[in-house]
Amino acid sequence: MFYKWLDHWEERRAQRGDEGKKVTDVVLAAELAFPGAGNVASIADFCDLADRAVADPSYFDEPIGSELSFEAGNGWISFPSDISTETDENNTVFARITKGRSFDHALVVFHHWNARSRNDLLAKSFARQDITVVEIALPYHLERKRPGSSHADYMLSANLGRTIRSVRQGVLDGRKLIRWLRAEGYKEISVLGISLGSWVAGLIAAHDPTVRKAALFLTAGSLADMVWTGRATQSIRASLEPAIKLPDLNRAWGPVNLENYTDRLARPELDILVVLALRDKVVLPELSKRFVDRLNDAGAKLDLLEANCGHYSLSIPPYVIQSGRRLRALLCRRP
């Protein structure tokens, strides 16, 4: 009876999230994902560029000469993004910082798609345990929201190039913030990503060797498979399906597919926690388990929590307590 109620609660929550989502045209916009690409007219050519980006170890590196022009005060940090977009509001990054007592450990948090607030309880809880929590706004979210938009449609959409650019922008923003935290004296940096934020956090953990602990909640490897099968992204699939097949979408979005970086995530000094929801209709558990299997095959240092809840109900008791305890165990673990 409880799980029947829980599934019904999940569906009602998903229906609220459908508001404002529309079917749109597929747009390649390769120049947004691959600077200097020029005019790319076919999906096949886009996929070729994506394959090259996956093979390029510098694709998620900060630009040479990126400056730490940060403003900090009253519990907030802001700085210019190293990727400039057509939306002025999106070009300044904002993060809320809840400080612990020392400079030993900072946790950078990447929220879910269409987040409308930050997590006060999480921030205050870990700050009391002497872990500084920094909650960064992903592109086109919160303070970076595109004027007039009902949701963060520029972060994830049927515009193939802009979606890659947005995830890449989130990765570069996060790496720049981590570099600043290091300069401020923090000795240990960890990342937590939730749902879409887990792709950003996972890519940072894969490419930034200064990150030693990564918690990926409600995650999977393939962004394309998640969008194709997920309850929250049905309008995007409806947009994509007439123009592109799923195998081609997996190639096109290869640069942001965590399964392409399992060897990097399996480096010996990185501890990973994956939390998946067994009743999830947004990030299907079979996708999460496939990613976990690939991490295990690569030899990653992996801890796994399988919660018997849905995507949204991970945020309510008892599931939020279970995941919080496992996250605390990860962050307090000594090398």
Side-chain angles (χ1 to χ4, degrees), residues 73-113:
N74 299 318
W76 289 89
I77 305 165
S78 65
F79 58 94
S81 176
D82 285 328
I83 291 181
S84 180
T85 70
E86 65 291 319
T87 303
D88 288 342
E89 290 81 359
N90 183 50
N91 296 334
T92 300
V93 187
F94 292 86
R96 186 177 69 175
I97 182 167
T98 306
K99 291 187 177 181
R101 293 184 303 273
S102 72
F103 287 90
D104 286 338
H105 197 170
L107 173 66
V108 182
V109 180
F110 300 86
H111 55 73
H112 60 84
W113 189 37

Side-chain angles (χ1 to χ4, degrees), residues 107 122 126 191-192 215 217 273 322-332:
L107 173 66
L122 180 149
F126 281 100
V191 294
L192 163 63
F217 285 19
L273 167 66
Q322 295 171 357
S323 57
R325 285 174 175 167
R326 294 289 277 274
L327 175 60
R328 184 173 63 246
L330 171 75
L331 297 179
C332 294

Side-chain angles (χ1 to χ4, degrees), residues 11-271:
E11 177 56 26
R12 292 201 314 272
R13 172 64 181 78
Q15 289 174 0
R16 292 200 304 272
D18 287 338
E19 296 174 6
K21 295 177 180 176
K22 300 176 182 179
V23 176
T24 62
D25 292 333
V26 173
V27 179
L28 296 182
E31 72 281 359
L32 300 183
F34 316 112
N39 184 30
V40 173
S42 72
I43 289 172
D45 288 342
F46 189 103
C47 289
D48 287 342
L49 290 170
D51 291 343
R52 289 181 216 166
V54 171
D56 180 2
S58 67
Y59 184 70
F60 288 105
D61 284 354
E62 290 183 82
I64 296 173
S66 173
E67 297 182 358
L68 295 180
S69 303
F70 278 62
E71 293 185 8
N74 299 318
W76 289 89
I77 305 165
S78 65
F79 58 94
S81 176
D82 285 328
I83 291 181
S84 180
T85 70
E86 65 291 319
T87 303
D88 288 342
E89 290 81 359
N90 183 50
N91 296 334
T92 300
V93 187
F94 292 86
R96 186 177 69 175
I97 182 167
T98 306
K99 291 187 177 181
R101 293 184 303 273
S102 72
F103 287 90
D104 286 338
H105 197 170
L107 173 66
V108 182
V109 180
F110 300 86
H111 55 73
H112 60 84
W113 189 37
N114 295 320
R116 288 174 169 79
S117 63
R118 290 176 171 84
N119 194 320
D120 291 339
L121 183 61
L122 180 149
K124 291 176 181 177
S125 174
F126 281 100
R128 284 195 296 268
Q129 298 171 58
D130 206 20
I131 297 172
T132 291
V133 177
V134 188
E135 300 171 276
I136 189 172
L138 289 175
Y140 301 105
H141 285 81
L142 302 173
E143 300 83 11
R144 308 173 69 177
K145 181 180 177 182
R146 183 171 63 87
S149 61
S150 63
H151 67 290
D153 55 341
Y154 273 28
M155 178 80 191
L156 185 62
S157 72
N159 186 312
L160 303 184
R162 190 172 61 209
T163 295
I164 293 176
R165 183 188 68 178
S166 295
V167 175
R168 182 168 176 258
Q169 184 178 29
V171 172
L172 297 189
D173 294 341
R175 294 195 67 180
K176 190 172 186 177
L177 175 59
I178 288 169
R179 187 158 60 94
W180 180 80
L181 289 167
R182 286 284 185 186
E184 289 291 294
Y186 286 93
K187 300 179 181 66
E188 184 175 1
I189 309 290
S190 300
V191 294
L192 163 63
I194 303 165
S195 193
L196 182 59
S198 72
W199 270 266
V200 177
L203 288 165
I204 289 172
H207 291 85
D208 193 329
T210 66
V211 173
R212 298 300 179 90
K213 295 173 182 175
L216 308 178
F217 285 19
L218 306 171
T219 194
S222 167
L223 187 68
D225 285 340
M226 185 276 284
V227 166
W228 204 263
T229 59
R231 172 65 179 81
T233 49
Q234 291 179 343
S235 63
I236 301 178
R237 174 175 177 170
S239 302
L240 292 166
E241 200 162 14
I244 187 170
K245 298 183 184 301
L246 181 55
D248 289 332
L249 184 62
N250 259 304
R251 273 190 70 200
W253 280 350
V256 294
N257 185 340
L258 291 177
E259 290 174 351
N260 288 328
Y261 307 103
T262 51
D263 287 345
R264 287 174 172 265
L265 289 166
R267 67 178 189 271
E269 64 273 16
L270 178 64
D271 290 312

